[in-house]
Amino acid sequence: MSNETIKMTSGEYVPIEMHKVRVVQKLNLLPIEKRLKAIEDAGYNTFLLQNRDVFMDMLTDSGTNAMSDQQIAAMMVADDAYAGSESFNRLQEAVEEILGTQYFLPAHQGRAAEHIISQAFIKKGDIVPMNFHFTTTKAHVELAGGKVVELFTNDALEIKSDKPFKGNMDIDKLKDLVKTAGKDKIPYIRMEAGTNLIGGQPFSVENMRAVRKVADENGILIVLDISLVCENMYFIKMREPEFMDKSPAEILRTLCDLADIIYFSARKISCSRGGGIATKNHELYLKMRDMVPLFEGFLTYGGISVREIESMAVGLREAIDWNVIRHSPEFIKYLVDSLDAKGIPVITPAGGLGAHLDARGFLPHLTSFDYPAGALAAALYIVSGVRGMERGTISMDRDEKGNDVPSEVELLRLAFPRRVFTLSQVKYAEDRIEWLWKNRELIGGLKFTEEPKVLRFFVGRLAPASDWPQKLQAKFREDFGDSL
Ligand SMILES: *Cc1c(COP(=O)(O)O)cnc(C)c1O
């Protein structure tokens, strides 16, 4: 832990909120009977639940991070103009100051930036190597006719690990790929900070430098996704000796200086909305620029409201504040370490995006085709009102032949939107997960009843393979009496 961590008399480590709550939102905790009805109505897909039926919304950190007072204040002075808005100028200044890039293209969110980058650089048959894919990234690479090749290291997918940088790219695999595929087939290498789908695991600066070296030797561009870079920076500062005494601002600049194109989802990095693409290279900027008015909006708003543009500018500056950066990783570590100590299968070491339960370890009686991560997500909602996200086989679309593609990992992600939950809420989630663990043999599989072809996890509907949800509810009532 950092020097600034507050020590308790008992020696116990307790993460502390370095902010106070001044605006609150009421929460509902429905009785279990109503939660069961709600998940049935949602087709056993937590994406389709209504927020009013959710107690702790741990689906995602996307657009759900708490804003600061400074961000909300900035929204009040937004300058509404189609072209040449002062709000945009303030954003552009913030981007240049924080990322060190002169050229900035706004896009309505992260995937819109991915759309533009993919359309600008990928030709049919191209290959895009990355440390790990993200759902929308992969869909956009494929839409542009390219193919994603993941070059994660052998320890990336280990559930129990003490590896500090599970998000690293495997440099030998990268060199091999460049040799076999040919550098002309590789429009860019993509590095994702805080790799979302493997649990918010970081890569090191050392690794990024090694990727840069291969890219330079072969004249290949690097695209850096900094949507989750804050938490990646946290781990670099905590774990990479060269950076222990460096400020978050210096670490971020070091990373950005190693990339040719940088993009982000402002829903994550700056606790606001929107997204954007930044580069120092005028030629690359021009290759992408004309798509912004076509798909997003004029160059000085990119489909984002000027209020959000103001909050993005402030949020980007706050993204290098150590107390903002460390909040989520420290709360996540608290939950992960508590669950791990009880023998509950959870990804270690704790990452930066959320706690990730290992659904395969949790539900060994289910196969990938029973969708264990989806079943665990539904079960946890039923017993707690906590909404997590399936990150397993449901999140993989079928192959061309229509077969399910078993995911390498079956995870239930419990995201920690920044500065949203208190420690007592985290303890409640921990308690219900522990209860579920003790009653895990009651949980059965799911099957699709309505299945979209692309990104099916968003709106697909499923049903339980048996009456296991009713059995879970009965056991809950038996153990908890009339408790909510
Ligand atoms: C969320 C996310 C995206 C996509 O951003 P949206 O704003 O949701 O479109 C891209 N990359 C990473 C790493 C993300 O976490």
Side-chain angles (χ1 to χ4, degrees), residues 106-117 136 140 277 295-296 302:
H108 79 273
Q109 60 185 89
R111 71 200 66 184
E114 289 170 338
H115 176 222
I116 289 170
I117 295 168
T136 56
H140 278 297
I277 308 170
F295 293 118
E296 301 302 305

Side-chain angles (χ1 to χ4, degrees), residues 243-286:
F243 294 93
M244 278 176 186
D245 299 320
K246 294 276 193 294
S247 68
E250 289 169 306
I251 296 172
L252 184 55
R253 279 298 272 277
T254 306
L255 288 173
C256 290
D257 285 348
L258 290 164
D260 299 290
I261 295 171
I262 300 154
Y263 77 92
F264 59 84
S265 166
R267 300 173 66 86
K268 284 59 177 285
I269 186 172
S270 52
C271 308
S272 56
R273 299 290 185 280
I277 308 170
T279 179
K280 286 180 189 167
N281 185 315
H282 191 240
E283 216 176 298
L284 297 178
Y285 166 79
L286 289 180

Side-chain angles (χ1 to χ4, degrees), residues 43-45 371 445-450 461-466 468-469:
Y44 283 81
N45 180 348
Y371 307 135
L446 296 175
K447 49 186 194 307
F448 269 101
T449 57
E450 264 180 61
R461 297 182 68 84
L462 302 103
S466 66
W468 65 261

